[in-house]
Amino acid sequence: MKALQYTQVGQHPVVVEVEKPSPGPGQVLIRVTAAGVCHSDEYVMSLSEEDYTAQGYPLPLTLGHEGVGVVEELGEGVEHVSVGDAVAVYGPWGCGRCHQCAQGKENYCVNAAAEGIKPPGLGAPGSMAEYMIVDDPRHLVPLGDLDPVENVSLTDAGLTPYHAIKASLPKLGAGTFAVVIGTGGLGHVGIQILKALSGAQVIALDVSDEKLELATHVGADHVVISDEHAAEAVRTITGGVGANAVFDFVGARPTMATAVAVAATEADVTIVGIGGGTVELGFGSIAYDAAVRVPYWGSRSELIEVLDLARAGRVSVETQRYSLDDAPSAYEALAAGTVRGRAVIVP
Ligand code: NAD
Ligand code: ZN
Ligand code: ZN
């Protein structure tokens, strides 16, 4: 079968021919119907050889941590899924036994690192292939009649902002403001989740008018160019008070500085992007009682909720399709900043 693999540090990923896997006991083989292109893959492929190895990534690495498909074959002992079922893959695999996993929060599994459990596409072979192995049927959520290509990115570009936003909902009643920094794959879904679940007005920040046009298209109430004047513009929009929640989907030094600067008293500042930024915190450097969070991906139950939100027509992903053979050019477009919404690979 064909697969998109990162084979050499510093080189572009390539389409290669690999053996079609077969499911071991307890595993499920799915025929991939769509796989999303995430900026985190770009991050992984930007690591130096030393960091890549230190962070435990293998070579070759079959990319793709957003995946949906149809169940093709069941390993021994697998129950409750059937051949032919349309499924979405829950990516942040955990041990399934620890206190976090027991709550469905496998994204915060305490044993995954020690036991070498890695998400598909970020260690285990991912979804950018004709077939993929899912290690356990609990990592599958029914897709039902949701279109695979239009919805595959909800498994990360939907789930991650959903998890980030859900915790801040008590602070986002009517009359409040939420700021979304970076309106790409995650950000443009985040705006819709905020509009669907909160009473907040959404202020979107990005670096170009084209990106901000998408933000407006998906429901942002205000848009601001993300530069050194952005914090002042947000202060003005919020009547000087600041935003009650800030979601930074970039996580670079300048965006984190903006995020902290626009936070209102008791705001949540949530850094989702892994842009390598840091920010100094101390008394006087952020509004009183503001809280800073650094979440990762989301829980199993939250993936079910995000798919339900899509079924209700409350969120949708702006997608650009590529074939598996064309997958390397999807990554080039992502790096060039020319993807509108999410690039999706259709094997
Ligand atoms: P993307 O490339 O689709 O979107 C990024 C957006 O940020 C683009 O619209 C870009 O124009 C914009 N941007 C760049 N610099 C900016 C700046 N200075 N100010 C404002 N906007 C700016 O990326 P994505 O796939 O949506 O991922 C976003 C980030 O989230 C990445 O860093 C990714 O690695 C990270 N991520 C984190 C998690 C997590 O669990 N924490 C999960 C998935 C992705
Ligand atoms: Zn991702
Ligand atoms: Zn666990």
Side-chain angles (χ1 to χ4, degrees):
M1 66 167 190
K2 279 183 196 168
L4 180 75
Q5 290 192 329
Y6 186 53
T7 56
Q8 234 183 316
V9 170
Q11 301 293 310
H12 292 294
V14 287
V15 179
V16 295
E17 196 61 40
V18 296
E19 209 175 314
K20 178 183 168 186
S22 61
Q27 299 180 331
V28 180
L29 179 73
I30 70 169
R31 178 173 56 79
V32 177
T33 49
V37 177
C38 180
H39 210 112
S40 296
D41 298 333
E42 194 64 39
Y43 164 79
V44 170
M45 292 189 283
S46 74
L47 293 172
S48 67
E49 198 145 356
E50 196 184 342
D51 290 341
Y52 189 86
T53 316
Q55 294 184 28
Y57 294 109
L59 280 177
L61 169 66
T62 299
L63 293 165
H65 57 272
E66 292 180 346
V68 293
V70 173
V71 174
E72 173 85 3
E73 194 183 333
L74 303 178
E76 199 189 313
V78 173
E79 292 179 330
H80 311 302
V81 286
S82 306
V83 170
D85 285 356
V87 289
V89 179
Y90 173 79
W93 298 349
C95 73
R97 312 178 312 273
C98 72
H99 189 263
Q100 299 287 1
C101 285
Q103 300 172 79
K105 297 193 280 188
E106 298 200 24
N107 49 324
Y108 299 141
C109 175
V110 298
N111 295 324
E115 295 182 14
I117 303 168
K118 301 231 166 71
L122 295 166
S127 57
M128 294 204 181
E130 292 174 84
Y131 298 90
M132 75 179 285
I133 293 286
V134 175
D135 67 339
D136 192 293
R138 76 171 187 279
H139 295 143
L140 296 173
V141 173
L143 193 61
D145 54 8
L146 285 177
D147 180 79
V149 179
E150 299 292 324
N151 292 284
V152 60
S153 293
L154 295 175
T155 58
D156 177 18
L159 177 56
T160 302
Y162 187 85
H163 173 67
I165 290 164
K166 199 177 171 190
S168 294
L169 289 179
K171 298 186 178 182
L172 292 175
T176 60
F177 290 92
V179 167
V180 169
I181 307 178
T183 64
L186 272 67
H188 91 288
V189 183
I191 292 167
Q192 297 172 63
I193 294 168
L194 282 162
K195 294 306 289 181
L197 301 183
S198 85
Q201 287 190 51
V202 176
I203 307 169
L205 274 61
D206 207 302
V207 288
S208 75
D209 289 329
E210 280 152 37
K211 299 280 186 175
L212 292 178
E213 184 274 318
L214 174 60
T216 304
H217 176 70
V218 297
D221 300 285
H222 309 269
V223 293
V224 172
I225 286 286
S226 178
D227 59 15
E228 67 278 18
H229 308 297
E232 203 183 307
V234 171
R235 284 274 161 198
T236 304
I237 293 167
T238 60
V241 175
N244 307 87
V246 185
F247 303 93
D248 181 356
F249 294 107
V250 180
R253 184 175 276 274
T255 60
M256 288 175 68
T258 301
V260 164
V262 301
T265 300
E266 294 185 319
D268 281 345
V269 176
T270 303
I271 310 297
V272 179
I274 48 179
T278 54
V279 68
E280 279 194 19
L281 288 177
F283 204 91
S285 67
I286 190 168
Y288 294 137
D289 234 339
V292 178
R293 300 170 52 225
V294 188
Y296 171 67
W297 223 329
S299 71
R300 282 169 52 205
S301 56
E302 286 167 340
L303 179 55
I304 294 172
E305 292 169 27
V306 173
L307 295 179
D308 279 340
L309 209 52
R311 245 171 239 122
R314 308 296 296 278
V315 296
S316 60
V317 184
E318 188 82 23
T319 50
Q320 299 191 343
R321 297 178 188 224
Y322 291 80
S323 68
L324 191 50
D325 286 324
D326 261 351
S329 58
Y331 280 97
E332 281 164 35
L334 183 73
T338 56
V339 174
R340 180 182 157 93
R342 201 65 154 177
V344 172
I345 309 304
V346 185

